[in-house]
Amino acid sequence: MAAAATMAAAARELMLRAGTSDMEEEEGPLGGGPGLQEPLQLGELDISSDEFILDEVDVHIQANLEDELVKEALKTGVDLRHYSKQVELELQQIEQKSIRDYIQESENIASLHNQITACDAVLERMEQMLGAFQSDLSSISSEIRTLQEQSGAMNIRLRNRQAVRGKLGELVDGLIVPSALITAILEAPVTEPRFLEQLQELDAKAAAVREQEARGTAACADVRGILDRLRVKAVTKIREFILQKIYSFRKPMTNYQIPQTALLKYRFFYQFLLGNERATAKEIRDEYVETLSKIYLSYYRSYLGRLMKVQYEEVAEKDDLMGVEDTAKKGFFSKPSLRSRNTIFTLGTRGSVISPTELEAPILVPHTAQRGEQRYPFEALFRSQHYALLDNSCREYLFICEFFVVSGSAAHDLFHAVMGRTLGMTLKHLESYLTDCYDAIAVFLCIHIVLRFRNIAAKRDVPALDRYWEQVLALLWPRFELILEMNVQSVRSTDPQRLGGLDTRPHYITRRYAEFSSALVSINQTIPNERTMQLLGQLQVEVENFVLRVAAEFSSRKEQLVFLINNYDMMLGVLMERAADDSKEVESFQQLLNARTQEFIEELLSPPFGGLVAFVKEAEALIERGQAERLRGEEARVTQLIRGFGSSWKSSVESLSQDVMRSFTNFRNGTSIIQGSLRGSVGV
C-alpha cells in the first residue's frame, strides 16, 4: 500500500511535469493556444503560494524516482496517468473495504471501548488504593524510626544499668567476707592448701578495700575492722611458721637445703607479708640473712680447714725454681720424697682437673680421703672448694630471687648480705695461701678453673658471683706472673760453672723448662691469654741463652754441638707431645735443632773427609766464578784424595756411626744424624 501510494504520487508529479513541458513547447510561456488538447490538471498544487519552493519539489521527486517500484514502472514504459488512476481506484477500494470491515466490527470495537473504559476505571481505583498504601507506608516508616530511636535509648539505658550492676556486684563481692575465709584464717594450719587459698582471697579483698577507700567508698568502713583482725591473725601465723623453718636451719647436722626448698612452696606467705605487714617481712628477711650467713660461714670455714689437710705434704717453696741446682736443697733436714709427690714442673695428670667431666665432679669429702690416706694437689682442693661455693651460691641466688621477690641490684645486695662473709673469708684464705705458693702450674690451673666456673655461672643466669670471680683472678694472675718471673730470673742468674760436672746429655734445667713450658702451653690453648705467651717467650729466651752458656763450657766445638742438639731435641720432643705443632715454641726449637744438626754433620765429616770436603767447596767456588779451567792443575791432588777416600771410607763411616750413637741419648735423633752424615758423604 505504501509503495502504491508512492508510485501514484510520483506518477502525478511526472504527469504535471510532462504537461508543463508540452505547453511550453506548443503555446509558449503563457500556457494557452490551439494546440492544447486537455486542460492542465494541477490538482492541489498552488503555484501562487509563497510557500512553494521548487527545490524541495525536486528533492521529493528525486526521492520518489529512487523507489524500486517507480524505477520498475519507468523501465517497462507504463503510462503513468493510467497507472495513477488505477492506483487511486485501488486505494478507494481498499478504503471502502476498510470501512465495511470497521462497520462489521463496530460492535466489537464498541465492546472493546467499553472494556478499555472499565479498565481505566479499575486502574484509577487501584491508583487511589496504591496512593493510600503509600501514605500508610510513609506513616509506618516514621513510626518505625520512632521505635528504633526508642529501642536505641532503651539499649543504652540497659547497658548502663548492666555496667552499674557489674561494678556494684564487684564492689559488693570485694567487700563481702565469706565465712569460709574467716574459718580458714582463724582455724586452719598454715600448711593446709585451703589456708593458702583463703590467704590469697584475703589479700585480694584487702587490696580491693584499700582501692575503694581511696575512691571514697563509705561501705568500706563496715568491713575494715573484720579484715584488719583477719590480717593480724594471718600475719601472726605466717611469721611463726617461717621463723620456725629458719630456726630449723640452725640444728646441728641439718641439711638446710631441705627446709629451704620446702619454703618455696609457701613463697606467697612472704608476698602477703610484703604487701600487708612490711615490718614483719623485714624481720623475717633479716633473720634469714643472719641465720644463713652464719651457716655458710661456719660450713665453709670447717670444710676449707678439713680440705687443706688432704693436700700434699710436700709443696713448692721459694727455692723450687727452674734455675736452682738439684744439690741446693739436699741437706740433713731435707724431707724424703713421697711416692705421690706433686711434681712442680710437670703437668702429668694434673690437667684433668679442668676437663668437663672432672670440673663438675662431686666435691671431695675430706674425712673419706683421710681414711684412705689420699692426698691431692692444691688445684684439686681449689676446684672442690669453689665448685661447692658455685653450686650453693647459684641455688641461694635463685632462692632469694624467687622467695623474696627481688631482682637486679636488689637481688645482688641481698645475696651478698647472705654470702658476703663467706666470700670474704674464702678470699682471705686464698690470699694467705698464695703468699707462700710457688707452684706456677697449680696457680695457672686455678685461673682456668675460675674462668670455667664463671662461664657456668653465666649459663645458670647467676650474675651475683661476677665480682667474686674478678677478685679471685685479681689474686691469682699477679701471683702467677710473679712465680713465672722468678723462674725467668732464676734461669737468667744461673752460673754454669756452679752446676758441677757437665756432660753432653740434656740438662735437668732444660728438662724442667720443657715440661713446664709444655704444661702451660697445653693449658693456655683451651682459653688463650696473650700475657701468658709473653712470659713464656721471656722464659724461652733465657733458657736458650742458658743452653748457650752451658755449651760454652765445653772445650771442643763437637761437644758443644752434641750438648746443644741433645737439649734442643729433648725440649722439642716434650713440647710436641702436649703443644700444637704450629706453636711458636715448637717452630723456634725446630729451627735451632736443624741449624745445629747441620753444623754437627759438617763437623763430623771434617776429620775423615775434610780434605775432600775442602776441595769440593773450592771447586764449587771456582765454577761459580767461571774459573773451571784452573781445576785441570789439581789432578794430582784429586787423585790423592780419591785414593784416600776409597781406602778409608768404610772404616770412617763405621766410626762415625758409633760416635753418633754414643753422643746422642735419643736413638731416633742419632739415626737421623747418621743418615744426614751419609747423605753428606755421598754428596761429596
Side-chain angles (χ1 to χ4, degrees):
M1 294 291 291
T6 303
M7 291 181 65
R12 286 197 298 269
E13 291 178 1
L14 290 174
M15 290 171 63
L16 290 174
R17 291 177 67 92
T20 304
S21 300
D22 293 341
M23 291 175 63
E24 288 177 352
E25 292 177 357
E26 296 179 0
E27 298 181 1
L30 295 178
L36 184 59
Q37 296 178 356
E38 292 182 2
L40 181 61
Q41 301 294 331
L42 297 177
E44 298 178 357
L45 181 61
D46 186 6
I47 61 175
S48 63
S49 175
D50 296 334
E51 297 177 1
F52 177 79
I53 300 174
L54 186 59
D55 292 337
E56 293 181 2
V57 175
D58 290 338
V59 173
H60 184 63
I61 292 172
Q62 185 65 32
N64 290 331
L65 289 174
E66 292 178 356
D67 187 87
E68 295 296 331
L69 294 176
V70 175
K71 289 180 180 181
E72 186 67 25
L74 293 174
K75 288 180 181 180
T76 56
V78 177
D79 186 358
L80 295 179
R81 294 185 183 92
H82 178 71
Y83 184 74
S84 175
K85 291 179 180 179
Q86 184 180 355
V87 170
E88 288 180 0
L89 181 61
E90 290 177 357
L91 288 175
Q92 291 176 359
Q93 291 175 355
I94 292 172
E95 182 180 358
Q96 291 176 358
K97 185 178 180 181
S98 298
I99 293 172
R100 286 194 300 270
D101 291 339
Y102 182 78
I103 293 172
Q104 290 177 359
E105 297 293 332
S106 58
E107 294 181 359
N108 294 331
I109 293 174
S111 176
L112 178 61
H113 176 72
N114 294 331
Q115 292 177 2
I116 292 173
T117 303
C119 288
D120 288 340
V122 172
L123 291 174
E124 185 178 359
R125 288 197 300 273
M126 290 182 65
E127 182 180 3
Q128 294 175 356
M129 292 175 62
L130 291 175
F133 288 156
Q134 184 177 6
S135 61
D136 293 340
L137 289 175
S138 300
S139 61
I140 290 173
S141 63
S142 62
E143 293 176 359
I144 290 174
R145 285 194 296 271
T146 303
L147 292 175
Q148 287 178 344
E149 294 174 357
Q150 294 176 356
S151 176
M154 293 176 66
N155 285 332
I156 293 174
R157 289 196 296 272
L158 177 61
R159 286 196 298 270
N160 292 337
R161 291 178 181 179
Q162 288 177 344
V164 171
R165 179 182 178 182
K167 295 292 184 181
L168 187 60
E170 292 177 0
L171 176 62
V172 173
D173 291 340
L175 296 179
I176 292 177
V177 182
S179 58
L181 188 152
I182 299 174
T183 303
I185 297 299
L186 296 178
E187 300 177 1
V190 295
T191 55
E192 289 190 4
R194 66 189 182 109
F195 179 83
L196 179 60
E197 294 175 0
Q198 297 303 325
L199 183 67
Q200 294 174 345
E201 182 68 19
L202 176 61
D203 185 62
K205 288 188 177 296
V209 169
R210 287 194 296 269
E211 182 181 356
Q212 294 301 327
E213 283 181 339
R215 296 178 179 179
T217 304
C220 296
D222 297 337
V223 296
R224 167 54 66 186
I226 299 175
L227 291 178
D228 287 342
R229 289 192 293 272
L230 290 175
R231 179 181 58 80
V232 171
K233 182 63 176 179
V235 168
T236 303
K237 296 174 70 173
I238 291 172
R239 175 182 177 276
E240 293 176 357
F241 172 76
I242 296 179
L243 290 178
Q244 183 181 1
K245 288 290 184 182
I246 295 175
Y247 293 153
S248 66
F249 298 166
R250 303 176 180 178
K251 296 180 181 179
M253 307 300 293
T254 298
N255 185 358
Y256 67 91
Q257 295 179 0
I258 296 177
Q260 188 183 49
T261 304
L263 271 178
L264 287 177
K265 296 191 299 183
Y266 307 103
R267 54 183 175 272
F268 181 75
F269 289 175
Y270 185 80
Q271 297 178 19
F272 179 81
L273 296 178
L274 202 61
N276 295 275
E277 192 64 38
R278 287 189 173 271
T280 304
K282 184 178 183 302
E283 177 190 2
I284 290 176
R285 186 181 64 183
D286 294 343
E287 191 66 33
Y288 176 85
V289 169
E290 182 67 21
T291 300
L292 266 294
S293 176
K294 292 180 179 179
I295 290 175
Y296 281 123
L297 181 62
S298 174
Y299 169 76
Y300 276 99
R301 181 184 287 122
S302 174
Y303 180 70
L304 194 56
R306 289 183 283 113
L307 198 62
M308 297 304 295
K309 293 180 180 180
V310 297
Q311 185 184 9
Y312 283 129
E313 295 181 2
E314 190 169 302
V315 296
E317 299 178 357
K318 63 180 180 179
D319 294 328
D320 292 323
L321 300 175
M322 191 174 298
V324 176
E325 300 84 356
D326 275 346
T327 58
K329 293 186 62 177
K330 293 181 180 179
F332 182 77
F333 295 102
S334 299
K335 295 181 180 179
S337 299
L338 299 178
R339 183 181 61 180
S340 58
R341 179 184 177 184
N342 180 21
T343 306
I344 300 172
F345 300 104
T346 304
L347 182 62
T349 59
R350 297 170 66 183
S352 62
V353 74
I354 59 175
S355 63
T357 54
E358 184 70 21
L359 190 66
E360 299 187 57
I363 63 174
L364 299 177
V365 182
H367 63 271
T368 303
Q370 287 177 340
R371 285 200 301 265
E373 296 184 355
Q374 295 178 342
R375 291 293 183 268
Y376 300 93
F378 175 72
E379 64 270 12
L381 307 182
F382 183 87
R383 182 215 67 90
S384 181
Q385 171 200 352
H386 280 81
Y387 184 66
L389 186 64
L390 168 69
D391 204 30
N392 286 282
S393 296
C394 291
R395 183 183 296 106
E396 184 63 33
Y397 180 80
L398 296 176
F399 174 83
I400 287 173
C401 292
E402 190 171 359
F403 185 80
F404 291 103
V405 199
V406 290
S407 60
S409 59
H412 188 274
D413 295 341
L414 187 56
F415 171 81
H416 280 279
V418 175
M419 298 294 298
R421 297 169 63 183
T422 302
L423 298 178
M425 182 271 298
T426 306
L427 288 172
K428 288 182 180 179
H429 175 269
L430 179 62
E431 184 178 9
S432 174
Y433 179 85
L434 291 177
T435 304
D436 296 325
C437 178
Y438 297 91
D439 189 351
I441 293 179
V443 177
F444 197 52
L445 285 172
C446 291
I447 290 173
H448 279 262
I449 289 172
V450 171
L451 295 177
R452 285 161 173 78
F453 281 165
R454 184 171 63 180
N455 293 336
I456 293 174
K459 291 179 181 179
R460 296 183 182 181
D461 197 18
V462 179
L465 286 173
D466 291 348
R467 181 183 175 188
Y468 174 75
W469 299 132
E470 295 298 331
Q471 292 173 332
V472 173
L473 292 175
L475 294 175
L476 293 173
W477 275 115
R479 188 62 187 179
F480 171 72
E481 294 177 0
L482 176 63
I483 298 173
L484 212 55
E485 290 173 355
M486 291 174 64
N487 281 281
V488 171
Q489 182 61 34
S490 69
V491 175
R492 183 185 297 121
S493 60
T494 300
D495 185 3
Q497 296 181 355
R498 297 176 54 189
L499 298 178
L502 299 175
D503 55 33
T504 58
R505 291 175 297 178
H507 200 274
Y508 62 85
I509 291 181
T510 59
R511 184 174 295 279
R512 289 176 183 174
Y513 164 76
E515 295 287 348
F516 182 73
S517 179
S518 63
L520 296 187
V521 169
S522 62
I523 296 171
N524 193 64
Q525 285 176 348
T526 57
I527 303 178
N529 180 265
E530 187 63 28
R531 176 59 179 164
T532 303
M533 299 309 299
Q534 293 176 358
L535 293 174
L536 286 176
Q538 297 177 10
L539 182 60
Q540 179 183 347
V541 171
E542 295 301 329
V543 170
E544 292 176 1
N545 294 334
F546 166 77
V547 172
L548 294 176
R549 292 199 304 271
V550 176
E553 297 296 320
F554 293 96
S555 58
S556 67
R557 181 58 180 169
K558 180 180 177 182
E559 289 181 339
Q560 293 177 0
L561 292 174
V562 171
F563 177 79
L564 292 174
I565 291 173
N566 280 330
N567 281 273
Y568 290 154
D569 178 66
M570 182 273 299
M571 290 187 286
L572 182 62
V574 174
L575 285 171
M576 290 182 67
E577 289 181 2
R578 296 186 178 274
D581 294 340
D582 58 348
S583 63
K584 295 180 180 179
E585 293 80 5
V586 172
E587 293 179 359
S588 175
F589 285 113
Q590 186 68 59
Q591 294 174 0
L592 292 173
L593 178 62
N594 293 338
R596 299 290 81 79
T597 300
Q598 185 62 35
E599 185 179 355
F600 176 77
I601 291 174
E602 294 178 359
E603 186 73 21
L604 191 66
L605 294 175
S606 179
F609 309 114
L612 188 59
V613 171
F615 174 76
V616 170
K617 290 182 178 180
E618 292 176 4
E620 290 177 350
L622 291 174
I623 293 172
E624 289 179 358
R625 292 196 299 268
Q627 301 175 359
E629 296 180 356
R630 296 177 57 183
L631 295 175
R632 295 178 180 178
E634 302 290 338
E635 293 181 0
R637 179 184 175 188
V638 171
T639 302
Q640 183 180 358
L641 291 174
I642 292 175
R643 287 176 181 176
F645 177 81
S647 62
S648 63
W649 72 270
K650 290 184 179 180
S651 59
S652 298
V653 168
E654 185 177 354
S655 177
L656 289 177
S657 300
Q658 293 176 358
D659 189 13
V660 168
M661 297 307 295
R662 285 194 303 268
S663 300
F664 298 102
T665 57
N666 188 344
F667 177 78
R668 292 180 59 186
N669 187 37
T671 303
S672 65
I673 292 176
I674 292 174
Q675 293 174 355
S677 301
L678 294 176
R679 286 194 298 270
S681 62
V682 172
V684 172

